Amino acid sequence: MAFVIGVDIGGSHISSAVIDQTSNQIVENTYFSGYVNNKESKEEIYRQWSEIINKTLSVKLNQEVKGIGIAMPGPFQYKTGVAMFEKNDKYEALYGTCVQSELKEFLNKKDLPIRFLNDASSFGVGSTVINNNSQENIVAITLGTGFGATFLSHQIPVTDQDNVPKEGCLWDKEFRDGIADDYFSTRWFLKRFEFHTGEKMAGVKEIALQDNRVCKRVFEEFADNLSMFLYPYLEKFNTDLLIIGGNIAKADEYFLDQVINNWKVKDFNIPVIVIKNTEKSIIIGASFLFNESFWSEVKDKLPEL
């Protein structure tokens, strides 16, 4: 049995838990989460992050924790632990700082090694671990505040092959009048619903609850866009399985059937799994950085940004 702390850092939150690597499950009473103000000073951001991680560290366990795996959004130098947040409206006070070394100064246990993985990659890895998916080629996407994606081959993130986009990312790829992140995120839903109705909504859940003609129209448009955008990337990667997570995935009943049907017309049939507890997958995926066979495969391939 081995214990590792998995951490999910988002744009405005942090979650932390101890993972039993034998079962790849969260250890009871070790999960904590909290809000983070990403516009604060460097010291305050570290303080807010460490407050949650230290709660997890403070739980008495029957054995020592061997490390901390952190799922971190980009841009970030995952090999060196240096933050590159600039002009992206979050954590900009950390730009150019080594999170790997500076965060340790705020932790109750300063000697634990810290490793980093992209948050979308963590979601994909964690989802395959939880569901014991052995398919050769898996694509995992997160639909929420932003659009995340990872390409996996036997659970290993693929970032430098000809059959995947640069760095294995999709959010920045051109689509229609902008980039994919403009179309496959919460803000697109809010803008489109307001465009059709003049009404402002708080989130995708509130739009789905309308359950009216405009709601149906917005979700249909989203489904057509998503199926059109993903198709060439999934086909080129010879994808065996698509995994979808994020808050928008909780409304999959409004768009997923249409996505699948659009692909069937192209004679493209691919199984799709929806993960409703995205955070759990991310935390477990981050902790998997201390699975030594996995680490030996990815440590020299981690993207720099």
Side-chain angles (χ1 to χ4, degrees):
M1 182 187 297
F3 286 166
V4 174
I5 290 179
V7 179
D8 172 24
I9 291 180
S12 60
H13 83 280
I14 178 171
S15 302
S16 174
V18 173
I19 306 301
D20 178 347
Q21 286 197 297
T22 302
S23 62
N24 289 310
Q25 292 295 321
I26 293 175
V27 176
E28 189 175 2
N29 298 321
T30 66
Y31 170 84
F32 297 93
S33 66
Y35 168 78
V36 179
N37 184 347
N38 61 40
K39 304 295 193 301
E40 281 284 2
S41 66
K42 176 179 73 171
E43 290 74 15
E44 182 60 19
I45 291 170
Y46 283 139
R47 188 197 66 77
Q48 292 177 20
W49 284 355
S50 62
E51 180 180 3
I52 299 303
I53 299 172
N54 282 334
K55 286 183 178 179
T56 296
L57 283 169
S58 68
V59 178
K60 291 185 178 180
L61 302 167
N62 58 11
Q63 70 175 68
E64 291 295 314
V65 168
K66 71 176 187 179
I68 301 173
I70 299 180
M72 183 75 74
F76 195 85
Q77 294 184 354
Y78 295 94
K79 290 181 183 179
T80 59
V82 174
M84 301 302 293
F85 304 115
E86 185 181 30
K87 298 179 182 179
N88 58 349
D89 204 34
K90 66 185 178 193
Y91 301 129
E92 291 182 291
L94 301 181
Y95 179 79
T97 65
C98 183
V99 178
Q100 191 169 47
S101 60
E102 294 191 21
L103 177 59
K104 286 185 179 182
E105 297 305 311
F106 291 79
L107 298 179
N108 293 340
K109 295 182 180 179
K110 304 183 187 330
D111 59 338
L112 290 175
I114 299 177
R115 297 172 181 174
F116 298 92
L117 189 64
N118 174 268
D119 52 354
S121 296
S122 295
F123 167 71
V125 172
S127 297
T128 62
V129 169
I130 291 171
N131 293 284
N132 195 28
N133 296 120
S134 58
Q135 284 90 342
E136 182 175 351
N137 291 339
I138 294 176
V139 175
I141 63 172
T142 51
L143 305 168
T145 305
F147 176 43
T150 188
F151 294 74
L152 305 171
S153 181
H154 300 292
Q155 295 186 325
I156 306 299
V158 179
T159 61
D160 58 357
Q161 293 181 180
D162 292 339
N163 60 348
V164 302
K166 185 178 179 181
E167 302 292 4
C169 295
L170 290 175
W171 69 273
D172 57 346
K173 302 304 179 284
E174 291 183 2
F175 185 68
R176 294 196 181 277
D177 296 325
I179 59 174
D181 203 63
D182 297 330
Y183 288 84
F184 309 119
S185 57
T186 299
R187 68 181 181 279
W188 180 87
F189 276 92
L190 303 184
K191 286 180 181 178
R192 292 306 290 172
F193 192 83
E194 185 177 2
F195 173 81
H196 288 300
T197 66
E199 297 179 52
K200 293 183 181 294
M201 288 289 170
V204 175
K205 179 180 179 181
E206 288 71 22
I207 293 175
L209 289 173
Q210 300 298 305
D211 199 22
N212 55 24
R213 180 181 58 82
V214 176
C215 165
K216 186 172 184 292
R217 179 176 179 179
V218 170
F219 275 101
E220 285 177 349
E221 186 177 350
F222 176 79
D224 287 342
N225 284 337
L226 186 63
S227 58
M228 181 190 304
F229 174 78
L230 286 179
Y231 172 71
Y233 295 103
L234 298 178
E235 184 181 46
K236 188 174 183 179
F237 191 56
N238 291 320
T239 307
D240 299 304
L241 174 69
L242 173 66
I243 301 175
I244 302 177
N247 283 331
I248 295 173
K250 296 176 182 177
D252 65 299
E253 63 188 281
Y254 294 91
F255 68 87
L256 187 55
D257 283 348
Q258 185 171 332
V259 169
I260 293 172
N261 288 335
N262 287 346
W263 288 336
K264 285 181 178 179
V265 171
K266 298 176 179 291
D267 198 26
F268 182 68
N269 299 294
I270 179 175
V272 181
I273 293 177
V274 176
I275 303 292
K276 298 298 176 74
N277 193 339
T278 303
E279 184 180 65
K280 179 181 178 182
S281 291
I282 292 175
I283 289 174
I284 290 174
S287 77
F288 211 62
L289 285 165
F290 286 87
N291 176 297
E292 293 310 321
S293 62
F294 176 79
W295 178 243
S296 67
E297 288 279 350
V298 303
K299 64 181 180 180
D300 295 323
K301 302 176 184 177
L302 294 173
E304 289 296 332
L305 292 174

